[in-house]
Amino acid sequence: MVAVSVEGESFLLDGKPTYSDVLNANPRALGMLLNARMVQALFEDENPETRELWRYPDGSEFDPERNTSEFIEMLPVYKALGVIAFTVNLQCGGSRAGYFTGKQPWIVSGFDEHGHLKPAWVNRLRRVLDAAQKLGMVAILGLFYFGQDQRLRDEAAVKRATENAVDWLMRHRYRNVLLEIANGCDHPGYDHEIIKPPRVVELVRLAKEASSGELLVSTSFCGDVVPPDEVLREVDFVLLHGNGQTPDSIRRIVRVIRGKLRPWGTLKPIVFNEDDTDLRNMEAALGGGASWGYYDVVKRPKVAKEAEEEWAEKSKLYSELAPWLGPCTRV
């Protein structure tokens, strides 16, 4: 069983810094967590009036199980390219670019209104986490998403959802998971106050207590935001978004956060788990000692040319990422 842990600013897998298994690895890569944000891997819309939005290019109806299977099939490819972590969510937004708003008619939540886990979502999550375990990969599991948190009827349901998710992870002994309480918890689209800062720290504490401190917990913030001090003190690792930022702002925010953590004697990993495929931002984050991940926007291309252009953009990213990790990383 693969177990992720932290030591200072580094991530460890089974007690060893990440990328220790890469021959002649770049010393600066050790302890880093290069990742991709693929939150729609568990996606299923329960609203019959909006399901047609997610049809495949050939017109066939979206299949949640096929979606998860295709995601799992790609994991070995990402691992071989040096991407050893990914973000998936138990609540999702829209499944393609331009469908992310604070008020969403689609119902894409792995929790019912009372905060209980839905069996179909849990089964897909189990498949993903089992595949990640076999590959030695880390899953950043997000719980709540703006525009979907209103599917939970009240604050008690939000707390229950947090506890139920943690309990399930603990009972099934998944230790290759980092918990992200909410995607961009400072986004104005959230309804429940306990998910928003500064109260989101209550859910961070709840998750840590429910796991008896075994699960590493954080929450992400929107771009160019320094999390409040109470959040920085409580999380096990700092989660940020880089999309919409410049390389200078990436460097600045890493510098500011590290400048806060160092005097407290609580240096911890800093991770960007959402950014565009902007190589300058990647270089700025990695150069500053922060882990970095790109946001894999599902454009659902309808023509081959669009698909080729999208993959070419990602391939360019990988061509820069692999040599940075070490000479034996294959692209």
Side-chain angles (χ1 to χ4, degrees), residues 247-274:
D248 283 343
S249 64
I250 294 285
R251 284 186 282 266
R252 180 193 62 81
I253 198 169
V254 170
R255 207 165 42 240
V256 169
I257 290 172
R258 189 172 285 126
K260 286 176 172 286
L261 296 175
R262 184 174 287 113
W264 300 340
T266 57
L267 285 176
K268 55 191 70 175
I270 299 173
V271 183
F272 288 88
N273 76 328
E274 179 173 332

Side-chain angles (χ1 to χ4, degrees), residues 294-305:
Y294 79 97
Y295 172 32
D296 195 359
V297 180
V298 181
K299 299 177 181 178
R300 293 218 173 276
K302 296 183 182 298
V303 296
K305 183 179 179 181

Side-chain angles (χ1 to χ4, degrees), residues 37 144 146 180 182-188 190 219-222 241:
R37 187 171 184 83
F144 307 119
F146 60 83
E180 177 183 11
N183 167 53
C185 65
D186 54 329
H187 192 282
Y190 280 108
T219 186
S220 65
F221 284 74
C222 296
H241 291 176

